Amino acid sequence: MDGTVDSAVPPARVAAAAPGELAVRPGEDPWTPQEVDEARSGLLSEAGRLRAEIVASEDAIAGLMRDSGDGAGDDEADTGSKNITREHEMALASNAREMLQQTERALGRLDAGTYGLCENCGNPIGKARMQAFPRATLCVECKQRQERRV
Protein backbone atom coordinates (compact mmCIF):
# COMPACT_ATOMS: atom_id res chain seq x y z
CA MET A 1 0.00 0.00 0.00
CA ASP A 2 1.36 3.43 -0.93
CA GLY A 3 0.04 5.25 2.15
CA THR A 4 -2.39 7.52 0.29
CA VAL A 5 -5.89 7.86 1.66
CA ASP A 6 -8.99 8.17 -0.52
CA SER A 7 -10.82 11.09 1.12
CA ALA A 8 -14.08 9.98 -0.53
CA VAL A 9 -14.16 6.84 1.62
CA PRO A 10 -14.29 7.30 5.40
CA PRO A 11 -12.77 4.49 7.48
CA ALA A 12 -16.12 3.33 8.92
CA ARG A 13 -17.48 2.70 5.41
CA VAL A 14 -16.16 -0.85 5.12
CA ALA A 15 -19.48 -2.69 5.62
CA ALA A 16 -21.97 0.14 6.11
CA ALA A 17 -24.37 -0.76 3.31
CA ALA A 18 -24.88 -3.20 0.49
CA PRO A 19 -23.48 -2.18 -2.88
CA GLY A 20 -25.62 0.46 -4.55
CA GLU A 21 -27.24 1.59 -1.28
CA LEU A 22 -26.49 4.90 0.36
CA ALA A 23 -26.33 5.21 4.13
CA VAL A 24 -29.30 6.54 6.09
CA ARG A 25 -29.83 7.14 9.79
CA PRO A 26 -31.91 4.67 11.77
CA GLY A 27 -35.61 5.24 11.11
CA GLU A 28 -35.07 6.94 7.76
CA ASP A 29 -36.42 5.51 4.52
CA PRO A 30 -33.68 4.24 2.19
CA TRP A 31 -32.66 6.35 -0.78
CA THR A 32 -34.76 5.53 -3.81
CA PRO A 33 -33.14 5.45 -7.26
CA GLN A 34 -35.16 8.56 -8.13
CA GLU A 35 -33.83 10.42 -5.06
CA VAL A 36 -30.25 9.42 -5.96
CA ASP A 37 -30.83 10.63 -9.52
CA GLU A 38 -32.25 13.92 -8.18
CA ALA A 39 -29.20 14.38 -5.94
CA ARG A 40 -26.84 13.64 -8.83
CA SER A 41 -28.64 15.93 -11.30
CA GLY A 42 -28.79 18.72 -8.70
CA LEU A 43 -25.05 18.42 -8.07
CA LEU A 44 -24.28 18.31 -11.80
CA SER A 45 -26.47 21.37 -12.39
CA GLU A 46 -24.74 23.20 -9.54
CA ALA A 47 -21.31 22.29 -10.94
CA GLY A 48 -22.30 23.70 -14.34
CA ARG A 49 -23.61 26.90 -12.79
CA LEU A 50 -20.43 27.33 -10.75
CA ARG A 51 -18.19 26.74 -13.78
CA ALA A 52 -20.10 29.46 -15.67
CA GLU A 53 -19.81 31.79 -12.66
CA ILE A 54 -16.04 31.19 -12.50
CA VAL A 55 -15.64 31.96 -16.22
CA ALA A 56 -17.70 35.16 -15.86
CA SER A 57 -15.67 36.28 -12.82
CA GLU A 58 -12.38 35.51 -14.53
CA ASP A 59 -13.51 37.48 -17.60
CA ALA A 60 -14.50 40.40 -15.37
CA ILE A 61 -11.15 40.25 -13.57
CA ALA A 62 -9.28 40.19 -16.89
CA GLY A 63 -11.26 43.24 -18.03
CA LEU A 64 -10.54 45.06 -14.78
CA MET A 65 -6.84 44.24 -15.06
CA ARG A 66 -6.78 45.59 -18.63
CA ASP A 67 -8.57 48.76 -17.54
CA SER A 68 -6.27 49.32 -14.57
CA GLY A 69 -3.32 49.90 -16.89
CA ASP A 70 -4.87 52.89 -18.64
CA GLY A 71 -5.93 54.85 -15.57
CA ALA A 72 -3.73 57.85 -16.38
CA GLY A 73 -6.56 60.31 -15.77
CA ASP A 74 -8.00 58.50 -12.72
CA ASP A 75 -7.99 60.16 -9.34
CA GLU A 76 -7.41 58.23 -6.11
CA ALA A 77 -11.12 57.50 -5.67
CA ASP A 78 -11.37 55.96 -9.16
CA THR A 79 -8.28 53.85 -8.55
CA GLY A 80 -9.59 52.74 -5.16
CA SER A 81 -12.98 51.87 -6.61
CA LYS A 82 -11.38 49.78 -9.36
CA ASN A 83 -9.24 47.97 -6.79
CA ILE A 84 -12.25 47.19 -4.61
CA THR A 85 -14.22 45.92 -7.62
CA ARG A 86 -11.29 43.73 -8.71
CA GLU A 87 -10.85 42.30 -5.19
CA HIS A 88 -14.59 41.63 -4.98
CA GLU A 89 -14.53 39.73 -8.30
CA MET A 90 -11.48 37.77 -7.13
CA ALA A 91 -13.27 36.81 -3.90
CA LEU A 92 -16.36 35.70 -5.87
CA ALA A 93 -14.22 33.56 -8.19
CA SER A 94 -12.38 32.02 -5.25
CA ASN A 95 -15.65 31.21 -3.47
CA ALA A 96 -17.10 29.68 -6.65
CA ARG A 97 -13.97 27.53 -7.10
CA GLU A 98 -14.27 26.27 -3.52
CA MET A 99 -17.97 25.46 -3.96
CA LEU A 100 -17.19 23.68 -7.25
CA GLN A 101 -14.54 21.59 -5.51
CA GLN A 102 -17.05 20.62 -2.79
CA THR A 103 -19.67 19.80 -5.41
CA GLU A 104 -17.29 17.62 -7.41
CA ARG A 105 -16.25 15.90 -4.19
CA ALA A 106 -19.91 15.16 -3.41
CA LEU A 107 -20.33 13.67 -6.89
CA GLY A 108 -17.26 11.49 -6.27
CA ARG A 109 -18.72 10.31 -2.97
CA LEU A 110 -22.02 9.55 -4.73
CA ASP A 111 -20.15 7.43 -7.30
CA ALA A 112 -18.12 5.72 -4.56
CA GLY A 113 -21.23 4.86 -2.51
CA THR A 114 -20.02 6.95 0.44
CA TYR A 115 -22.40 9.86 -0.10
CA GLY A 116 -24.19 10.58 3.16
CA LEU A 117 -21.47 9.18 5.43
CA CYS A 118 -19.71 11.52 7.85
CA GLU A 119 -16.05 11.96 6.90
CA ASN A 120 -15.16 12.34 10.57
CA CYS A 121 -16.97 9.56 12.43
CA GLY A 122 -18.23 7.43 9.49
CA ASN A 123 -21.84 7.45 10.71
CA PRO A 124 -24.72 8.35 8.38
CA ILE A 125 -25.20 12.10 8.01
CA GLY A 126 -28.93 11.80 7.49
CA LYS A 127 -30.94 11.75 4.31
CA ALA A 128 -32.85 14.95 5.10
CA ARG A 129 -29.59 16.84 5.75
CA MET A 130 -28.10 15.55 2.49
CA GLN A 131 -31.20 16.60 0.57
CA ALA A 132 -31.12 20.07 2.14
CA PHE A 133 -27.33 20.49 1.83
CA PRO A 134 -26.04 18.05 -0.83
CA ARG A 135 -22.37 18.95 -0.25
CA ALA A 136 -22.45 18.03 3.46
CA THR A 137 -19.49 15.92 4.57
CA LEU A 138 -20.12 15.89 8.33
CA CYS A 139 -23.03 14.71 10.46
CA VAL A 140 -24.72 17.37 12.59
CA GLU A 141 -22.87 16.26 15.72
CA CYS A 142 -19.41 16.44 14.11
CA LYS A 143 -20.25 19.75 12.42
CA GLN A 144 -21.30 21.24 15.76
CA ARG A 145 -18.05 20.03 17.37
CA GLN A 146 -16.07 21.55 14.48
CA GLU A 147 -17.85 24.90 14.80
CA ARG A 148 -17.24 25.02 18.57
CA ARG A 149 -13.51 24.59 17.96
CA VAL A 150 -13.30 27.44 15.47
Side-chain angles (χ1 to χ4, degrees):
M1 195 158 163
D2 64 0
T4 60
V5 176
D6 181 0
S7 63
V9 183
R13 174 66 180 132
V14 179
E21 291 181 11
L22 298 177
V24 293
R25 294 192 112 162
E28 288 183 326
D29 291 332
W31 286 85
T32 66
Q34 180 183 359
E35 289 169 333
V36 173
D37 288 345
E38 287 172 6
R40 184 180 311 282
S41 66
L43 289 165
L44 288 169
S45 173
E46 180 73 357
R49 185 191 68 76
L50 289 166
R51 284 187 190 96
E53 187 177 312
I54 291 167
V55 168
S57 287
E58 287 174 347
D59 288 348
I61 292 167
L64 290 166
M65 296 298 272
R66 259 191 320 275
D67 293 346
S68 70
D70 64 359
D74 289 351
D75 63 12
E76 288 180 24
D78 289 337
T79 302
S81 178
K82 286 180 181 180
N83 287 340
I84 289 170
T85 303
R86 185 175 58 239
E87 288 175 16
H88 177 71
E89 284 298 329
M90 290 170 70
L92 288 175
S94 176
N95 185 50
R97 278 189 211 94
E98 185 176 325
M99 298 275 288
L100 178 59
Q101 182 180 16
Q102 291 173 3
T103 302
E104 289 173 341
R105 187 174 180 185
L107 283 164
R109 290 171 52 87
L110 199 54
D111 291 340
T114 60
Y115 187 75
L117 285 172
C118 179
E119 289 185 346
N120 187 45
C121 67
N123 291 325
I125 291 173
K127 185 174 160 183
R129 177 165 163 75
M130 294 307 299
Q131 288 173 324
F133 185 62
R135 293 181 308 272
T137 59
L138 299 174
C139 65
V140 172
E141 295 81 9
C142 288
K143 183 66 176 171
Q144 287 172 340
R145 274 194 294 270
Q146 180 191 53
E147 289 175 352
R148 279 193 293 253
R149 280 188 234 128
V150 175

